[in-house]
Amino acid sequence: MHQPRIGFVSLGCPKNLVDSERILTELRTEGYDVVPRYDDAELVIVNTCGFIDSAVQESLEAIGEALNENGKVIVTGCLGAKENQIREVHPKVLEITGPHSYEAVLEHVHQYVPKPTHNPFTSLVPEQGVKLTPKHYAYLKISEGCNHRCTFCIIPSMRGDLDSRPIGSVLDEAKRLVDAGVKELLVISQDTSAYGVDVKHRTGFWNGQPVKTSMIGLCEQLSTLGVWIRLHYVYPYPHVDDVIPLMAEGKVLPYLDIPLQHASPKILKLMKRPGAVERTLERIKRWREICPQLTLRSTFIVGFPGETEEDFQMLLDFLTEAKLDRVGCFKFSPVEGATANELADQVPEEVKEERFHRFMQLQQQISAQRLKDKIGLTLPVIIDEVDEEGAIGRSMADAPEIDGAVYLNGETTLKIGDVVNVTIENVDEYDMWGSVSA
């Protein structure tokens, strides 16, 4: 029997990937065949990103390509919130929906490609659904939206205020993923540390036990599943301090992805971000005392409107003192609808560029030194790839796709998803080389 075929293109961040997985799961469950090609698909779905201008451009190009190659296109995701912008460039798009509108996307698919009446394949769908990530790790989305109003960001206007998923259903999903062989769960949302704030941290139930809807309550329960738990996008609220002991006890990976954005109190104020930089340094020091193996990842913006050389120097001084392990840096880029666009004293492009390079140069030295300190240590490593030359994995300090890798030359007998102890022998700025210790 012919199964209707749907093409699928997914752009953007891990949060978008989760939306894609949900839609794919539903389509497969209903008996559609999802294909990675345009030519023999009856319809193509493009899940877009609209966060910064270059992402908007990439999304518009992907829509254009799908229209040229296939002709029947449905658009969803962040850029979908700006319907007029899409229609202006691509009037032939069939339907447009915003982010996380799974139901609407499926209704549109049914409208153009009716779902198969006889569906003998339902029971073949793995219970945990279809994942776009490798089988051994998965993203676990715990909430939507954000209550902050950072001036450089339009996420709340696109995705709304914080909306936490019920803790029971998050834990059920986590358990299904682990039962299906997932060895690492990456907890994501727009603001992970705010989980449960919108529902006043009410008590939910899981496995017949009361569980508080909070980041700590969630981490405590996830830690019972016996897999790596990694936290992403953790806004630096005071209660983040409470998760550090869980990391020290080995319940959650000692890894904190905490977007600090700047270190000049003036710029932080203009960004509407927490501004007590001295306090941040004290907290980092205290966190490392409680959990010495803690890895800190952060992101910063250079060239924000009003940033002077003095402000930028404060940022470099902060980096030198904080000695963060992993750092991403963005040049400020105006996003349509962000209040920062209206701020006075926009920084010239060439100054942004020059500051970006100075920032990256300094941080590279710091990251390289942090890695050098690991030579001779034996660390647990999760295996991501194995071929005839050896294996590639990640330590607890490395999130997939954004951090470094651990290369195990000659180790050809390991399996993907294995966790092995590795003695580190060599490093560069980002990656490590080592051998499996007995």
Side-chain angles (χ1 to χ4, degrees):
M1 194 201 114
H2 164 67
Q3 278 182 285
R5 283 187 287 269
I6 307 291
F8 205 100
V9 179
S10 182
L11 304 162
C13 63
K15 294 180 279 287
N16 229 24
L17 197 62
V18 175
D19 289 347
S20 295
E21 289 171 4
R22 294 279 290 273
I23 297 164
L24 287 175
T25 301
E26 295 295 329
L27 288 170
R28 287 270 174 90
T29 307
E30 290 179 354
Y32 291 93
D33 197 6
V34 181
V35 294
R37 298 175 303 282
Y38 297 120
D39 46 18
D40 53 3
E42 285 155 69
L43 177 78
V44 176
I45 299 170
V46 181
N47 191 2
T48 58
C49 177
F51 185 53
I52 54 176
D53 293 353
S54 57
V56 170
Q57 207 40 52
E58 188 189 0
S59 294
L60 289 171
E61 282 165 17
I63 295 165
E65 184 179 301
L67 279 169
N68 290 339
E69 299 288 340
N70 180 282
K72 293 179 78 173
V73 177
I74 287 177
V75 174
T76 184
C78 278
L79 189 59
K82 303 174 179 174
E83 184 164 347
N84 299 346
Q85 199 175 344
I86 297 172
R87 291 252 178 244
E88 236 168 64
V89 186
H90 300 302
K92 292 201 174 80
V93 166
L94 297 174
E95 300 287 351
I96 298 173
T97 55
H100 53 92
S101 14
Y102 318 117
E103 295 81 6
V105 173
L106 291 160
E107 276 167 32
H108 291 150
V109 172
H110 300 155
Q111 195 180 328
Y112 294 98
V113 185
K115 67 175 158 186
T117 42
H118 170 63
N119 177 11
F121 298 105
T122 311
S123 59
L124 293 179
V125 176
E127 200 192 352
Q128 85 287 1
V130 179
K131 303 203 331 303
L132 298 180
T133 39
K135 191 171 162 35
H136 63 294
Y137 67 82
Y139 293 101
L140 183 66
K141 190 194 241 180
I142 59 171
S143 64
E144 273 300 345
C146 184
N147 288 344
H148 295 289
R149 294 294 180 264
C150 302
T151 54
F152 51 81
C153 181
I154 54 170
I155 283 173
S157 67
M158 289 161 100
R159 291 184 169 256
D161 283 341
L162 180 73
D163 180 13
S164 300
R165 286 179 60 193
I167 193 152
S169 82
V170 172
L171 291 167
D172 282 344
E173 185 180 338
K175 175 89 168 66
R176 279 201 306 275
L177 289 163
V178 171
D179 289 347
V182 166
K183 299 286 198 303
E184 176 179 10
L185 291 170
L186 299 106
V187 176
I188 58 164
S189 65
Q190 311 295 347
D191 179 2
T192 295
S193 38
Y195 178 63
V197 164
D198 54 321
V199 293
K200 302 194 167 44
H201 299 306
R202 68 161 164 250
T203 300
F205 283 87
W206 188 59
N207 276 355
Q209 299 291 317
V211 186
K212 202 172 164 196
T213 309
S214 69
M215 180 170 75
I216 305 299
L218 179 68
C219 288
E220 287 277 12
Q221 294 304 318
L222 289 174
S223 74
T224 64
L225 297 175
V227 297
W228 284 14
I229 308 296
R230 191 181 296 278
L231 301 178
H232 281 287
Y233 315 120
V234 179
Y235 191 89
Y237 296 105
H239 70 255
V240 172
D241 295 356
D242 302 339
V243 87
I244 308 295
L246 299 185
M247 292 178 174
E249 291 161 28
K251 291 184 171 180
V252 180
L253 290 187
Y255 180 97
L256 205 47
D257 175 359
I258 192 156
L260 295 169
Q261 310 299 13
H262 213 282
S264 150
K266 179 189 95 185
I267 297 297
L268 286 165
K269 200 171 172 189
L270 288 169
M271 289 177 168
K272 295 213 166 129
R273 301 281 299 177
V277 178
E278 284 312 306
R279 192 145 178 274
T280 305
L281 285 167
E282 276 166 35
R283 287 175 82 192
I284 289 173
K285 193 168 158 243
R286 196 165 69 244
W287 292 344
R288 284 180 171 147
E289 280 164 9
I290 298 167
C291 180
Q293 68 275 45
L294 178 65
T295 297
L296 287 172
R297 157 169 271 287
S298 191
T299 44
F300 294 89
I301 296 172
V302 296
F304 192 80
E307 183 188 63
T308 61
E309 183 55 36
E310 188 188 356
D311 294 317
F312 180 65
Q313 194 52 55
M314 286 170 123
L315 178 53
L316 295 182
D317 293 346
F318 176 84
L319 286 183
T320 306
E321 190 151 347
K323 293 187 175 53
L324 305 173
D325 301 83
R326 313 268 183 219
V327 174
C329 179
F330 299 95
K331 287 176 287 191
F332 173 74
S333 126
V335 184
E336 195 187 324
T339 47
N341 305 352
E342 316 305 318
L343 292 171
D345 305 322
Q346 299 280 332
V347 176
E349 212 45 54
E350 60 275 18
V351 177
K352 286 184 200 173
E353 189 64 27
E354 183 259 348
R355 285 180 186 167
F356 173 81
H357 286 296
R358 278 161 65 199
F359 178 104
M360 289 312 287
Q361 226 172 343
L362 172 63
Q363 182 55 42
Q364 216 168 21
Q365 294 164 2
I366 296 167
S367 297
Q369 189 51 56
R370 298 283 297 166
L371 280 188
K372 270 195 195 113
D373 295 343
K374 295 186 178 184
I375 293 176
L377 297 181
T378 299
L379 307 171
V381 167
I382 190 165
I383 302 302
D384 286 342
E385 286 174 54
V386 183
D387 59 22
E388 64 282 356
E389 289 178 12
I392 303 173
R394 288 174 292 107
S395 74
M396 290 182 171
D398 301 300
E401 295 182 27
I402 55 172
D403 293 328
V406 181
Y407 291 91
L408 303 168
N409 297 340
E411 290 289 349
T412 53
T413 56
L414 296 171
K415 303 256 183 310
I416 289 175
D418 283 351
V419 176
V420 292
N421 286 325
V422 171
T423 303
I424 304 302
E425 293 155 354
N426 209 338
V427 300
D428 64 11
E429 286 87 3
Y430 302 106
D431 301 318
M432 303 189 281
W433 284 258
S435 51
V436 177
S437 56

